[in-house]
Amino acid sequence: MLVTYLEASRDLCETDSILFGAALAVCRIIGAKLSRAGRATGQSSAIPAWRIRIEERIAKARALIGRLICFRSGNTRPRIVRTVRMAFAGTNVSLSQPDIMQKLTERIDDLKQRIAAWGKRIRRYTERSTRFNQNRLFQSDQKRLYKSLERPIVSGTGPAPNQADTVAIWRSLWSEPVNHSEGPWTEVVASQCASITPMDPVIITPDDVAEAVRRAPNWKSPGLDGLHHYWLKGFMVCHSVLARQFQEALNQKSLPSKEVQK
């Protein structure tokens, strides 16, 4: 059925609408659950259960350290004393023995070492997960990887420039004609480039489309059209139509600007 509709497609917008309708029809036929709010974040981005447990241990250990320090400083409120007794439960340490301050210091140091060990475990996981994601992203989308590695641009904290001054600066650069005097080096470069063979015209074939789609992840977040790569892989009859329409857009040096209506 797709062949008939795709042959009558005039541009990429119509082709995308046809493919989206076909995907929607397949989902309704097989009874797949559809989401109107867009694809939700997958489980891979959720915090692992073991990390949540470690973070809870760290929070409890820090709270216990705070109460032990309060008791060592002379705070003998019943709640503090009860917490200190629970900290030494199962040991032969008594709050009335002479070296209780030393025992408190040892207990506090032990808890700090445990917190440091748990923190290192989380950092090791984070570093390993980051390396794994970067390696996978390097194989699928190198441009996106390099963009994520760039340092964020820190905007200035001073006052914003005046709008009239900004308009005057750019108007002086782009609105007033300027006669440039080219140097002799331009002639040298032009003579050297004269012998360069022009690049062959780009010809987009159905095999090129199939190869590009094959390397794309199946369920990566779609664009405005809402069409995942999975459907472009399954509807192989669209590859020749997409190749022809991409070639037309390349030759005309323009892409459809109208949003797809679904």
Side-chain angles (χ1 to χ4, degrees):
M1 294 176 62
L2 276 176
V3 176
T4 304
Y5 291 99
L6 290 174
E7 289 179 351
S9 175
R10 294 172 296 180
D11 55 20
L12 290 171
C13 287
E14 290 189 4
T15 299
D16 184 79
S17 299
I18 293 170
L19 296 177
F20 187 89
L24 183 61
V26 172
C27 290
R28 290 179 176 176
I29 291 172
I30 66 177
K33 188 175 181 180
L34 302 177
S35 175
R36 296 183 180 274
R39 186 166 176 260
T41 305
Q43 294 294 332
S44 60
S45 61
I47 301 176
W50 67 267
R51 179 170 178 173
I52 296 177
R53 290 194 298 267
I54 292 178
E55 291 177 348
E56 292 177 352
R57 294 176 188 173
I58 291 175
K60 292 180 180 179
R62 287 175 175 171
L64 181 57
I65 288 174
R67 297 193 177 183
L68 292 177
I69 292 176
C70 290
F71 182 81
R72 190 175 60 179
S73 301
N75 190 338
T76 57
R77 287 186 299 175
R79 185 177 181 181
I80 300 296
V81 174
R82 185 169 59 251
T83 303
V84 175
R85 288 177 178 173
M86 292 176 59
F88 290 104
T91 63
N92 296 325
V93 178
S94 175
L95 301 184
S96 59
Q97 64 186 48
D99 59 343
I100 184 60
M101 295 301 173
Q102 180 181 356
K103 296 297 183 181
L104 285 171
T105 303
E106 293 176 356
R107 181 62 173 161
I108 291 173
D109 292 340
D110 178 67
L111 291 173
K112 288 182 178 180
Q113 292 177 6
R114 291 187 180 185
I115 291 175
W118 290 332
K120 288 182 179 178
R121 185 182 302 178
I122 293 177
R123 284 193 296 272
R124 286 198 304 269
Y125 163 78
T126 304
E127 293 174 356
R128 178 185 176 277
S129 178
T130 301
R131 289 194 300 268
F132 175 79
N133 293 332
Q134 288 178 349
N135 291 336
R136 186 173 59 179
L137 188 60
F138 179 81
Q139 297 177 356
S140 60
D141 193 348
Q142 296 182 11
K143 180 180 179 180
R144 184 180 174 188
L145 171 63
Y146 295 139
K147 186 176 181 180
S148 65
L149 295 177
E150 293 179 355
R151 295 183 179 180
I153 300 176
V154 180
S155 59
T157 57
N162 188 359
Q163 182 178 2
D165 296 338
T166 305
V167 172
I169 290 175
W170 287 106
R171 183 172 294 169
S172 63
L173 295 175
W174 295 103
S175 299
E176 299 178 1
V178 179
N179 295 325
H180 298 283
S181 58
E182 302 293 348
W185 62 271
T186 57
E187 299 179 359
V188 176
V189 173
S191 61
Q192 293 175 351
C193 295
S195 60
I196 297 178
T197 304
M199 185 180 69
D200 296 334
V202 177
I203 305 298
I204 302 176
T205 64
D207 293 337
D208 296 332
V209 176
E211 178 64 18
V213 172
R214 184 188 64 82
R215 294 179 297 174
N218 285 343
W219 301 109
K220 184 179 179 181
S221 298
L224 295 176
D225 56 0
L227 191 66
H228 293 87
H229 294 141
Y230 172 83
W231 303 107
L232 297 179
K233 295 180 181 181
F235 299 146
M236 293 182 292
V237 293
C238 73
H239 295 170
S240 59
V241 178
L242 289 175
R244 173 175 57 81
Q245 292 179 346
F246 277 126
Q247 186 68 49
E248 293 175 355
L250 181 63
N251 296 337
Q252 298 174 2
K253 300 180 181 180
S254 64
L255 287 171
S257 59
K258 182 179 179 182
E259 295 185 1
V260 181
Q261 300 293 333
K262 299 186 290 293

